[in-house]
Amino acid sequence: MLTLFHQTLCPLSRYVRLILGEYGIEVHLHEERFWERREEFMLLNPAGQIPVLMADGQPPVPGAAIIAEFIDETMPPERGEDRLLPASIAERVEVRRLASWFNDKFHTEVSGPLVSERVFKRYMTVAQGGGPPDTDAMRAARHNIRYHLAYIGWLVRTRDWLAGDRLSLADLAAAAHLSATDYLGEVPWNADEAAKNWYARVKSRPSFRAILADTLAGLPPAVSYADLDF
Amino acid sequence: MLTLFHQTLCPLSRYVRLILGEYGIEVHLHEERFWERREEFMLLNPAGQIPVLMADGQPPVPGAAIIAEFIDETMPPERGEDRLLPASIAERVEVRRLASWFNDKFHTEVSGPLVSERVFKRYMTVAQGGGPPDTDAMRAARHNIRYHLAYIGWLVRTRDWLAGDRLSLADLAAAAHLSATDYLGEVPWNADEAAKNWYARVKSRPSFRAILADTLAGLPPAVSYADLDF
């Protein structure tokens, strides 16, 4: 059995949940208040960050990108064409490039600040970095997301899925970050019709169901968050 | 023939140069002023960041971690034991964890700010982000590096190399970031004897020679930078 140390609205954790969901692999979810720097958790991941995946007989696997490689190497699907990291070198480069685009760039510029300011900070003490949301950081994130939506729209106007002909880690990364942002009602879907249509396709996949059922006490999702016809 | 779009003191670019150096693979170096966001370069990597590796017949490969995976998958050394990314799953997790520790965490907390503030900003216009160095950012980096040196020291007091029994991508990542920091005279080597001894071993490898011969016009290296007995 796998255990994922995560937070419900952490987009990097959602990425891992979506990968496992696509492969039909069950995982036990452990909500980790990583900002408390709990001693047992720091032993699992000295960097103190989520997500961390635990698999029987293996060392703890930290970080979204490293977990994705680990799953690909240890639990690939039976049918090669279902693989979220394709076999050809050129496709692997493109899938990894776009997964990193969302897990690193989008996370730094959009989903990281929004989720930290609006969600994680609510639970933190002042010493842990808590306090009122930084409105400058949120304003910058709301500005930046429009460029990312336009980029997604541009990609899916030339391809079926973000990295090419088939669903890949790239789509799951983008959708994971957008879903956390969408929970907060922070995605201006009207800004790009093609991006919206692509997200509607990803959102309707069975792997997305658990994500859409998420709710946080005291912070309900935006009205259309779980709506497949948003 | 390979081409690497890089900057001499960019630690992520140095990581790629060290990997290629260990494998004895020649590369043409192209100094890219990425902050100018040159149109042809933005086509190679829409994220606008270095390093980017170009290989004949392949799409541009952006980013240190993705380049490392690409080299491992397309140009592995003949002898398996010389591989910088080991074969066993547990070792792969540990090597990738530590490579990410330096390429992401150390870069964010230490080498990125120091190289940006002291080097890249010298060449940038104000519109590109240039100007006087941010002394707060540099002070934080100088504070943070001590924790990282202590972590390296702790690791190599229990293992021969950072990730285990053999040299791996983890050592090259750590050494790449330290070397850029050391060029600027910003590594307090006396703070950890074990870390210093480990770095002396990496520094004396043939793959390091080109790195130690680097010089920037108007910004000479610190006195002991190229000294193997520092």
Side-chain angles (χ1 to χ4, degrees), chain A residues 45-47 49 58-62 66 69-70 73-74 89-90 92-94 96-97 100-101 105 151, chain B residues 45-47 49 58-62 66 69-70 73-74 89-90 92-94 96-97 100-101 105 151:
Chain A
N45 183 13
Q49 291 164 331
Q58 298 292 351
V61 189
I66 298 177
E69 300 285 345
F70 174 81
E73 291 175 352
T74 58
I89 291 294
R92 291 170 87 80
V93 169
E94 184 64 351
R96 285 180 175 136
R97 178 182 81 81
S100 163
W101 182 287
K105 191 173 172 64
Y151 188 47
Chain B
N45 183 12
Q49 291 164 331
Q58 297 292 352
V61 188
I66 299 177
E69 299 286 343
F70 174 80
E73 291 175 353
T74 59
I89 291 294
R92 291 170 87 80
V93 169
E94 183 65 351
R96 285 180 175 135
R97 177 182 81 82
S100 164
W101 181 286
K105 192 172 171 63
Y151 188 46

Side-chain angles (χ1 to χ4, degrees), chain B residues 174-192:
Chain B
H177 288 266
L178 280 168
S179 74
T181 313
D182 194 39
Y183 185 100
L184 300 171
E186 298 275 12
V187 184
W189 288 117
N190 291 334
D192 196 292

Side-chain angles (χ1 to χ4, degrees), chain A residues 49-125:
Chain A
Q49 291 164 331
I50 53 169
V52 174
L53 185 70
M54 296 288 293
D56 292 339
Q58 298 292 351
V61 189
I66 298 177
I67 294 172
E69 300 285 345
F70 174 81
I71 295 171
D72 182 72
E73 291 175 352
T74 58
M75 313 164 218
E78 285 175 26
R79 301 184 340 144
E81 64 265 37
D82 292 338
R83 206 149 173 161
L84 295 164
L85 185 60
S88 91
I89 291 294
E91 287 176 291
R92 291 170 87 80
V93 169
E94 184 64 351
V95 168
R96 285 180 175 136
R97 178 182 81 81
L98 287 168
S100 163
W101 182 287
F102 293 99
N103 287 332
D104 298 319
K105 191 173 172 64
F106 189 95
H107 188 240
T108 301
E109 297 176 358
V110 181
S111 55
L114 287 173
V115 172
S116 288
E117 297 301 328
R118 291 196 51 192
V119 186
F120 296 160
K121 268 192 171 179
R122 296 157 62 103
Y123 308 119
M124 296 176 182
T125 64

Side-chain angles (χ1 to χ4, degrees), chain A residues 28-221:
Chain A
H28 170 71
L29 296 177
H30 174 92
E31 192 102 21
E32 179 64 38
R33 296 188 161 209
F34 60 93
W35 53 85
E36 294 179 353
R37 300 178 71 80
R38 193 168 58 90
E39 199 176 330
E40 294 85 347
F41 181 65
M42 297 302 288
L43 288 173
L44 296 184
N45 183 13
Q49 291 164 331
I50 53 169
V52 174
L53 185 70
M54 296 288 293
D56 292 339
Q58 298 292 351
V61 189
I66 298 177
I67 294 172
E69 300 285 345
F70 174 81
I71 295 171
D72 182 72
E73 291 175 352
T74 58
M75 313 164 218
E78 285 175 26
R79 301 184 340 144
E81 64 265 37
D82 292 338
R83 206 149 173 161
L84 295 164
L85 185 60
S88 91
I89 291 294
E91 287 176 291
R92 291 170 87 80
V93 169
E94 184 64 351
V95 168
R96 285 180 175 136
R97 178 182 81 81
L98 287 168
S100 163
W101 182 287
F102 293 99
N103 287 332
D104 298 319
K105 191 173 172 64
F106 189 95
H107 188 240
T108 301
E109 297 176 358
V110 181
S111 55
L114 287 173
V115 172
S116 288
E117 297 301 328
R118 291 196 51 192
V119 186
F120 296 160
K121 268 192 171 179
R122 296 157 62 103
Y123 308 119
M124 296 176 182
T125 64
V126 173
Q128 290 163 348
D134 177 339
T135 50
D136 285 347
M138 293 196 294
R139 191 179 308 118
R142 287 168 185 152
H143 174 80
N144 293 335
I145 193 172
R146 293 179 173 270
Y147 296 98
H148 287 282
L149 278 183
Y151 188 47
I152 291 172
W154 179 79
L155 287 170
V156 291
R157 275 189 288 272
T158 60
R159 309 164 166 182
D160 284 347
W161 298 94
L162 285 190
D165 294 341
R166 286 182 301 140
L167 179 88
S168 74
L169 291 176
D171 300 281
L172 301 187
H177 288 267
L178 281 167
S179 74
T181 313
D182 194 39
Y183 185 100
L184 300 171
E186 298 275 12
V187 184
W189 288 117
N190 292 333
D192 196 292
E193 190 69 16
K196 183 181 176 177
N197 290 337
W198 160 84
Y199 185 66
R201 280 193 287 144
V202 184
K203 194 177 180 178
S204 64
R205 296 182 72 83
S207 66
F208 234 79
R209 275 180 211 145
I211 298 275
L212 296 180
D214 282 341
T215 50
L216 281 189
L219 186 66

